[in-house]
Amino acid sequence: MARTRIALLTVLLALAVVPGSASAQDWTRLTPSQQRVLAPLQAEWASLSAADRRQWLAIGDGFEGLTPEERARATERMREWANLSAAERDRARQQYRALRSMPPDQRESLHEQWEAYRKLSPGERQGGSSR
Amino acid sequence: MNEMGFGLRVAEYLSVSNRTLDGRALERLRVARTRALAVSDTGSRGSFYDDLQAWWVRVRLAFSPVMSSSAMLLVLLALFFAGGQWSSSHRFEAQQAIDTALLIDDLPIEAYLDPEFRAWLARESRS
């Protein structure tokens, strides 16, 4: 009897951590606040996978803690990010981890270096120094 | 725990313990059990509810080893499933943190998609 109870409790615990169904993430079922934050994605929301929707909802939930400037930037980039393939997103995440693990002095100048890099020709980017 | 539950618990312990007994002892136990059941069958008949309970106890005893194994299997499967869910949830949270950081970062997403940029940065830091 005790074993059965333990088994049932374990199963219930396991089920408790299962994420919600995809239908619960339909655009019309989002709260007004979620719809406002994720508005740039409304057009493609139906075509997003359940995992992507869950991810966006989690990102949207974190919007409260962002500064107005960060919110504006995130809103602007949402569609660009949503339109990337899974492989491209993985590549961006890897590059992000790599660049953020650089020494602080290099990290601080990343934006300037990116601007300098953008001005280079493809040949200069691949080989020669810009300096 | 009621009388029936207690009896069931004792029966389960006995079922587990008899695995270590030799053949002769097992045979003596089998004969004693048969006699006890025979006496029980000829005893006063209880209500339908008592009969049902007695039948349930026999079923539980008969399937006790199987149920025990099934319960263990269920626990293992549930733990495996819960472990997978926890790991996936942990990955999800880590990924979500990076995605949010990428969305608000001062570098555009394009910078993180350009494989040449990192190589160029490495060359620049060496020169």
Side-chain angles (χ1 to χ4, degrees):
Chain A
M1 190 68 83
R3 279 193 213 105
T4 314
R5 277 188 201 138
I6 290 169
L8 282 172
L9 272 174
T10 319
V11 170
L12 286 173
L13 274 172
L15 288 174
V17 291
V18 176
S21 67
S23 65
Q25 301 163 342
D26 285 346
W27 183 262
T28 50
R29 293 194 183 189
L30 301 187
T31 64
S33 152
Q34 287 174 321
Q35 287 187 352
R36 195 175 54 250
V37 168
L38 301 172
L41 304 173
Q42 185 178 1
E44 53 254 86
W45 188 258
S47 63
L48 294 178
S49 70
D52 278 348
R53 289 186 202 178
R54 227 169 45 238
Q55 189 88 29
W56 279 115
L57 287 171
I59 290 171
D61 288 345
F63 259 52
E64 293 298 316
L66 302 181
T67 64
E69 191 192 337
E70 287 172 334
R71 266 188 235 180
R73 198 181 286 162
T75 305
E76 197 183 297
R77 290 179 183 173
M78 268 184 190
R79 291 194 71 182
E80 184 188 355
W81 185 249
N83 288 328
L84 294 178
S85 69
E88 285 173 323
R89 278 185 234 169
D90 276 345
R91 185 163 15 116
R93 288 177 191 126
Q94 275 172 22
Q95 180 113 312
Y96 178 85
R97 282 193 209 102
L99 293 183
R100 293 292 138 180
S101 63
M102 292 168 83
D105 57 323
Q106 282 185 42
R107 215 166 51 218
E108 278 168 23
S109 62
L110 267 180
H111 193 263
E112 288 164 27
Q113 287 178 302
W114 169 249
E115 291 301 327
Y117 173 81
R118 281 183 68 193
K119 288 173 188 158
L120 298 176
S121 68
E124 287 172 320
R125 288 179 181 185
Q126 286 178 2
S129 171
S130 61
R131 287 171 193 165
Chain B
M1 186 184 295
N2 60 22
E3 192 181 343
M4 193 66 76
F6 177 74
L8 193 58
R9 176 64 61 86
V10 169
E12 279 177 358
Y13 283 134
L14 288 173
S15 296
V16 172
S17 304
N18 73 12
R19 287 175 195 155
T20 58
L21 296 177
D22 61 25
R24 283 182 59 197
L26 282 175
E27 180 56 22
R28 283 207 309 277
L29 279 171
R30 192 191 65 75
V31 171
R33 184 171 179 275
T34 309
R35 279 183 195 153
L37 285 174
V39 170
S40 169
D41 283 346
T42 55
S44 60
R45 305 295 298 176
S47 65
F48 172 74
Y49 179 72
D50 288 339
D51 289 347
L52 194 66
Q53 265 197 319
W55 172 80
W56 177 238
V57 167
R58 286 196 190 104
V59 169
R60 287 284 309 271
L61 281 174
F63 288 97
S64 178
V66 179
M67 285 175 77
S68 170
S69 314
S70 304
M72 281 302 290
L73 188 67
L74 207 58
V75 167
L76 286 175
L77 280 173
L79 286 175
F80 178 75
F81 183 67
Q85 284 295 324
W86 181 84
S87 157
S88 138
S89 153
H90 189 68
R91 263 203 318 274
F92 175 81
E93 279 171 24
Q95 191 165 295
Q96 181 234 316
I98 290 183
D99 288 4
T100 304
L102 276 161
L103 285 173
I104 62 173
D105 198 75
D106 51 352
L107 275 187
I109 291 173
E110 189 192 346
Y112 294 105
L113 287 170
D114 190 335
E116 290 300 325
F117 180 48
R118 206 166 115 203
W120 179 82
L121 279 174
R123 280 197 302 272
E124 285 296 297
S125 67
R126 282 197 300 267
S127 62

